[in-house]
Every structure is written in C-alpha cells, then in structure tokens.
Amino acid sequence: MQHADHHSSATMHGAEHHHMSGVREDGGADSFSRATQGLAAAATSEIVGLRDGDGFALTARPGRKQIDGATVRMLAYNGSIPGPTLRVAQGSQVTVNFTNQTDLEATVHWHGLRLDNEFDGVPHGHPHHGMQRPVPTGGSFRYRVRFPDPGVYWYHPHIREDYAQEMGLYGAIVVEPNDPAYWAPVNRELTFTLDDILLDGDDVAPYSRAESNHTAMGRFGNVLLVNGETACSLAARCGEVVRFYLINTANVRIFNVRIPGARMKLVGRDHGRVEREEFVEELLIAPSERLILDVLFERSGEFIFEHRTPQRAYRLGTIQVSEWAVERSYALEFGALRHSSDLAVERERLAADFDRVPDKTLALVGEMPGMDHMDHHMDHMSHMNHHADHMDHAGHGATAENSADDGRIEWEDTMPEMNEMSTPQNMVWKLIDRATGGANHDIWWTFKVGDRVKVRVVNEPDSDHPMQHPIHFHGQRFLVLSRDGVGNANLAWKDTELVAAGQTTDLLVEMSNPGIWMSHCHIAEHLEGGMMFSFEVEED
Ligand SMILES: [Cu+2]
C-alpha cells in the first residue's frame, strides 16, 4: 500500500497532505473528538454467517486505529473496521439489534437491499412511512433485514455520512444465491472494501459538528485503505480462482482496479450477475458501487492489486502466488464466458424502452453563489480544456462503458484549499427535475408497484463545477439503458450508477418495493449538501 502523496509524478493531481493551520482544533464543542485515550484498538473484521430467522447484535462505538504510523480515533461496528462481513442466503430474513455508542445520532442503512421501507435507515425527526427516528447516543433500534437478491451489498449510517462512514462505519453483506449454479465455481471468495482517509499530520483532518465541509469536490483522502488497512496482502496458489467482492466505501474517490499479470473476469455487479461475463483488464468502481470479479492466478510470483488513474498507479495490495498448485483448479470453468438467461429476457423486454421518451429527466447541477463570475469562468474553461485533451487522447468521448481515460472524472482533489473551505452555504449541489424545475427536497415523484420508469440523468457540463456523481436509488433496482446515447451492451441490476461530467445516462428503474424512498448522489459531502430527493412507490 502506498501513501497517496508518494511519487506524486501526477504533479497537480497528487493528493498532498492538507497542511492546515498546524493548530489542532481538539477540545472545542464544534468539532468531533479526536481523542484516543481509553479506546480499544480496532480489531480485524469477522465473517458472520447468519441463517434465516437469526438475530444479530451490531454496536457502533469509537475505537483506536493505527494508520500509516498515526494513531487515530475512529468508529467501529462490533469493534472492527470494516464491521463484520455478513454472509446470508438469498430469501432469508434476519433481525439486527443495533446500538449506538458513538457521540452522534446514527441509523443503519442497508445499501442496495430491497427490504421493508421502515428498516431502510433514512432518518427523520418524526418517524413515518419510509423514515425512522435517529438513534441517539446510547439508544438502539431493531432492524428486520431481508435479502431477496444475490450479490454484494453493504451497510453504513445515513446521518453525517461524510464523517461517520469515513471514520469506519461500513461493512459488507454477501448474499449467497439459492441456485447453486448461479455463479461459476471458484476456490475462494473474498470481500474487499476500497476506501481512503484524509490525514493531517498525525491525525484525521478535523470535522465540524455543525456542518460538513469539502462540499465542492468531496473529501478525498490521502491514504488508501483496503479492508481498513494500508497494507493488504494475500497468498494464493498456482491455478487458483479467487472471487473478489469489491465495495467502494470512499466518500468521493473512484477506483480503477486491475491486477496486471493475472486474468480478471467480470461476473457480477451490485445485484448479482452481469448479462454476459467478460474478461477485463481494469474496471471503474465509484462510491457505493460493487463489482464481482473472478481472478485466475495462472503462475507463481508477486502480483499487484492496483488502482490506476490516467496520471499514476497506486498499490492497493500484494498477492503472493506460490508454486504449489491448488488441488482443484477451476481454470477451465474460469475460461468459459457465461450468459444470464434472466437478463437476456430483460433485454428483449426493454427493447422498446431504449428509444422512448424518458418519463423523468434529472439534471445534476453545481452552483457557487457569491463566487466571482470571472474566476469561475476561467476555472471552468481550463477544466473543460483538460477534459477535451483527454478525450482527444482516448479517441472517444462516448463509450458503452465508463472508462478511466475518458477525461470526465476527477481522480484527486485538484483545489484542496478551496475545497476544504466549501460548505453547503457556498457550494450548492442540485438534482433538478426538468419537468417542474423543482430541485432536491422540492421533488416528489409518485409511482405504482410494477412501474418501470425511464429516468434520464443529465450531468450538466456548464454548471459552476461539473464533476462526476454516483447516483443511488434506495429500495429498488435499475438497469442502465444507455450512456451518451450508446446502448448498454452488458446489462446488470444495480442501485448506483456513476454519471461522468457532461454525461447523459438513461436508467430503467423497476418500482418493485412499496414505500417512500430516497434517491441521492453518493458523494457523502454532496448528500450532506442536500443533493437528494424522495419518491413514493404505492402498493398496487
Ligand atoms: Cu454528487
């Protein structure tokens, strides 16, 4: 694992430590505590198998952790960062007794699960349909969680995500399919959370209790973490096929993952299988998205698990593959590219949806009230020129799949001082319903169970700060129909989709789960800045 500011050949894109005033802001009631005295060291994450009907206790509390030589105060579920990985069977239901021992209100959001509305973890002062009362410090809440779909999901708080999630409150959920032939056989399955954290010298860069900051670009970290650790290493055997369940738990950072020298096959995304498996060199994963990759290690030696941006490569981890061949290799099965018959049926079904007029159009807009117009204009121009260079270089602007080199993604914090000072007051992020002009809280959509709603998401290239946004729908699942007018050649059920700056993406959202649900940008600071709205799905 590399420290993000080593070998900063990326010049201005190097994520440098933010050397703030140098004065610690501890002790003030305005900041979350950074004290580590008396806290237990965070443990490594456990894998917990839960059976239908089981109960499980989940407690969030502060813990202490060593990161890159610094001892910092963090938050842990059941004493570990990430929290326990839950392994459950498709169709099962469990009860989670959550207790909040942190120093802020909390909920647990079960990201991607089509569960009952009241257990979705969206906070509201007065609990009503789709909402729950925030769990105060010392309080608890009983969640009933069900798992209708195979795939990989995760859990995290839905209050001050910019702080609580960054501090370690996240955990993986692997839902095992009922059909034993759903996945190809592999030797092992491993779960990896991809994250970063912003250190300021020997401590976590401070957080205000009153409001989030880094609202403009989101809080980029300067240390990368895989499963909460800076040095991820694993051992494998020659001929072994390992399934990687990847979850991006970062506030804003996008990862572009690869393992040079090993063979990698995309087999699934958020909610299970892809339409057709494909061999890949590298793949993007945006905040809150998931990837399911099968990896074959054909020869012995050291392999690097890497995050590649257009400017540089970061080491995420190291895999040592021994010469000792695995007893049963699944190399043959790995070589077969399987198709999902369920998604083939969906493709036929949605042929008419590709060309029809969208039911809803959402624009993604950033506004900087009070920002000097001229400065803004110049910044914007240089920003767009930068994009144009990359597009020329890559030779394309629109592809069926988002790629690392299409030039419309911010990989690092390019304006750290300005970003750090930005708040929801001076940087406003909006989801705008083009039909009504309503923004964020003003939007209220109503659908019926069974509706398949075509939502066009237009990430406006001319707003005050065009950048990518991972758009997330709670409680439902969707298919990506097209990106920039190019039809999606490989369907998968998802709950989050990255929309690059200037990109137009059409989604087909299947309204299958009744209730009042949230949709929002999953950049934590954009959500905190109000980039969200609610929609209702009525029982038929
Ligand atoms: Cu956003």
Side-chain angles (χ1 to χ4, degrees):
M1 172 68 58
Q2 280 162 291
H3 206 267
D5 60 1
H6 289 173
H7 324 292
S8 217
S9 58
T11 62
M12 76 278 195
H13 293 286
E16 284 164 30
H17 269 148
H18 291 201
H19 288 294
M20 291 160 202
S21 59
V23 177
R24 288 290 166 80
E25 289 159 41
D26 260 334
D30 294 348
S31 301
F32 285 112
S33 171
R34 296 191 289 178
T36 55
Q37 292 90 332
L39 298 181
T44 39
S45 177
E46 288 189 332
I47 298 167
V48 178
L50 295 175
R51 278 180 294 195
D52 188 35
D54 275 358
F56 182 64
L58 187 71
T59 301
R61 69 165 66 90
R64 152 175 71 78
K65 197 163 169 64
Q66 288 270 118
I67 295 180
D68 211 36
T71 303
V72 298
R73 179 191 182 96
M74 294 188 74
L75 299 173
Y77 283 123
N78 289 5
S80 71
I81 299 171
T85 293
L86 309 182
R87 287 199 74 113
V88 296
Q90 181 185 0
S92 67
Q93 178 174 292
V94 301
T95 301
V96 179
N97 293 298
F98 170 66
T99 304
N100 179 16
Q101 298 289 359
T102 71
D103 55 357
L104 76 161
E105 292 182 324
T107 61
V108 185
H109 170 55
W110 307 91
H111 187 112
L113 295 175
R114 296 193 291 164
L115 43 48
D116 290 346
N117 199 202
E118 63 193 291
F119 301 115
D120 192 43
V122 171
H124 195 280
H126 299 283
H128 58 86
H129 203 37
M131 308 280 180
Q132 71 162 103
R133 219 185 279 278
V135 181
T137 301
S140 53
F141 187 86
R142 194 168 154 274
Y143 291 93
R144 206 169 66 229
V145 188
R146 55 189 176 86
F147 311 94
D149 308 298
V152 55
Y153 303 86
W154 62 299
Y155 56 96
H156 62 76
H158 223 286
I159 295 175
R160 284 300 300 269
E161 259 178 74
D162 65 310
Y163 169 71
Q165 187 182 299
E166 173 85 343
M167 286 301 94
L169 294 182
Y170 51 85
I173 303 166
V174 175
V175 183
E176 293 162 2
N178 290 333
D179 174 4
Y182 185 87
W183 300 118
V186 294
N187 295 101
R188 269 190 297 164
E189 296 189 326
L190 299 172
T191 308
F192 298 95
T193 57
L194 308 180
D195 202 353
D196 63 3
I197 188 165
L198 182 60
L199 294 186
D200 173 23
D202 286 335
D203 215 333
V204 174
Y207 277 95
S208 161
R209 270 188 169 274
E211 64 179 359
S212 55
N213 59 12
H214 295 89
T215 307
M217 276 162 273
R219 182 184 271 234
F220 279 92
N222 50 14
V223 178
L224 303 190
L225 301 174
V226 175
N227 287 343
E229 298 295 330
T230 54
C232 157
S233 65
L234 68 126
R237 285 163 65 180
C238 214
E240 195 171 358
V241 178
V242 182
R243 179 159 297 141
F244 281 51
Y245 289 99
L246 302 180
I247 307 167
N248 183 337
T249 62
N251 287 22
V252 58
R253 186 178 297 273
I254 291 173
F255 289 86
N256 181 44
V257 293
R258 61 206 301 253
I259 306 177
R263 290 180 70 199
M264 207 159 83
K265 185 169 73 162
L266 171 68
V267 301
R269 291 186 182 273
D270 305 353
H271 294 227
R273 288 180 66 171
V274 292
E275 181 183 10
R276 45 177 194 84
E277 295 178 349
E278 51 184 319
F279 295 114
V280 291
E281 290 289 316
E282 58 183 25
L283 273 178
L284 290 182
I285 177 167
S288 90
E289 281 187 317
R290 286 87 71 206
L291 287 176
I292 307 172
L293 303 171
D294 287 358
V295 181
L296 168 63
F297 298 99
E298 288 174 298
R299 55 176 178 81
S300 61
E302 184 180 271
F303 295 82
I304 311 296
F305 182 29
E306 206 171 76
H307 160 46
R308 185 188 74 82
T309 77
Q311 284 80 35
R312 55 164 298 179
Y314 295 92
R315 181 184 293 221
L316 295 173
T318 308
I319 303 137
Q320 295 291 346
V321 180
S322 73
E323 285 175 25
W324 188 31
V326 71
E327 278 164 34
R328 163 72 162 102
S329 174
Y330 292 102
L332 200 66
E333 291 85 346
F334 176 90
L337 294 175
R338 300 167 8 130
H339 292 244
S340 159
S341 52
D342 290 350
L343 285 164
V345 170
E346 290 295 343
R347 178 170 291 283
E348 290 198 3
R349 208 179 149 193
L350 52 74
D353 294 307
F354 278 107
D355 295 321
R356 73 179 171 94
V357 172
D359 300 304
K360 299 287 181 189
T361 299
L362 270 182
L364 314 183
V365 172
E367 290 174 1
M368 297 182 183
M371 186 170 178
D372 179 81
H373 188 73
M374 200 57 205
D375 284 354
H376 146 60
H377 185 68
M378 291 182 64
D379 167 57
H380 178 61
M381 291 307 291
S382 66
H383 200 72
M384 294 318 282
N385 287 339
H386 174 70
H387 289 162
D389 289 348
H390 276 287
M391 280 193 221
D392 289 348
H393 181 67
H396 53 73
T399 54
E401 191 70 49
N402 286 325
S403 86
D405 297 304
D406 95 347
R408 300 186 292 181
I409 287 166
E410 285 183 357
W411 296 94
E412 312 285 353
D413 188 344
T414 53
M415 299 184 268
E417 292 80 17
M418 175 266 173
N419 189 25
E420 189 199 335
M421 289 186 305
S422 64
T423 68
Q425 273 67 53
N426 56 33
M427 178 76 227
V428 180
W429 286 109
K430 287 181 177 171
L431 291 154
I432 298 174
D433 181 347
R434 281 290 178 224
T436 63
N440 297 342
H441 288 87
D442 301 336
I443 302 174
W444 186 269
W445 293 347
T446 307
F447 307 109
K448 287 253 186 309
V449 167
D451 286 351
R452 289 160 71 95
V453 180
K454 182 172 178 177
V455 180
R456 174 162 295 171
V457 184
V458 182
N459 192 345
E460 294 291 351
D462 297 322
S463 83
D464 285 353
H465 184 77
M467 70 176 285
Q468 74 279 358
H469 301 277
I471 299 300
H472 172 46
F473 282 81
H474 285 216
Q476 319 295 332
R477 58 181 190 169
F478 61 71
L479 299 166
V480 176
L481 291 173
S482 66
R483 300 179 180 93
D484 287 325
V486 180
N488 181 4
N490 197 359
L491 299 172
W493 288 110
K494 301 187 72 186
D495 54 66
T496 310
E497 169 69 5
L498 178 70
V499 185
Q503 190 169 42
T504 294
T505 299
D506 286 351
L507 309 175
L508 190 71
V509 189
E510 180 196 68
M511 300 299 171
S512 57
N513 196 9
I516 293 169
W517 304 95
M518 197 188 257
S519 175
H520 62 88
C521 173
H522 218 287
I523 293 174
E525 291 76 13
H526 293 183
L527 169 60
E528 289 302 319
M531 198 175 186
M532 53 79 59
F533 69 97
S534 297
F535 61 98
E536 181 168 12
V537 181
E538 294 172 339
E539 209 103 39
D540 206 16

